[in-house]
Amino acid sequence: MIKDFLMRKMLERQLKNVPKEEQERLITLITKNPEFFQKIAEEIKKRMDGGMEQTAATMAVMQMYQKELQEIAGKPEQKA
């Protein structure tokens, strides 16, 4: 319970410039799937440690996990 509270507060701080409604949606997705989002964060960090810039690393990892992210978000898959 305390862990969830702390995670929520950290996410609210990170998403402070995101509209409140979108914040709630993202926080819900992350708190329901913490292992998945931890795996994404670790992959981004690994790429950044390898020399990629944060934006490029994030985009590459998000594309890599696009299908899973869409399933979690409940959105139909988009074709590129």
Side-chain angles (χ1 to χ4, degrees), residues 10-11 30 33-49 54 57-58 61-62 64-65 69:
M10 182 213 45
L11 290 169
I30 293 168
N33 305 285
E35 296 85 13
F36 176 69
F37 285 96
Q38 180 66 35
K39 183 167 78 170
I40 288 175
E42 289 169 0
E43 182 67 30
I44 292 170
K45 183 178 181 336
K46 185 169 78 172
R47 288 172 184 243
M48 288 172 56
D49 290 346
Q54 182 178 7
T58 302
V61 173
M62 291 302 171
M64 194 168 91
Y65 291 107
L69 287 165

Side-chain angles (χ1 to χ4, degrees), residues 6-30:
L6 293 174
M7 180 185 288
R8 181 176 187 81
K9 289 300 175 187
M10 182 213 45
L11 290 169
E12 285 175 355
R13 241 187 346 267
Q14 294 293 322
L15 300 170
K16 66 184 173 196
N17 295 324
V18 176
K20 197 71 167 165
E21 192 174 284
E22 188 67 14
Q23 278 184 21
E24 287 301 319
R25 190 176 78 77
L26 291 170
I27 290 170
T28 300
L29 289 175
I30 293 168

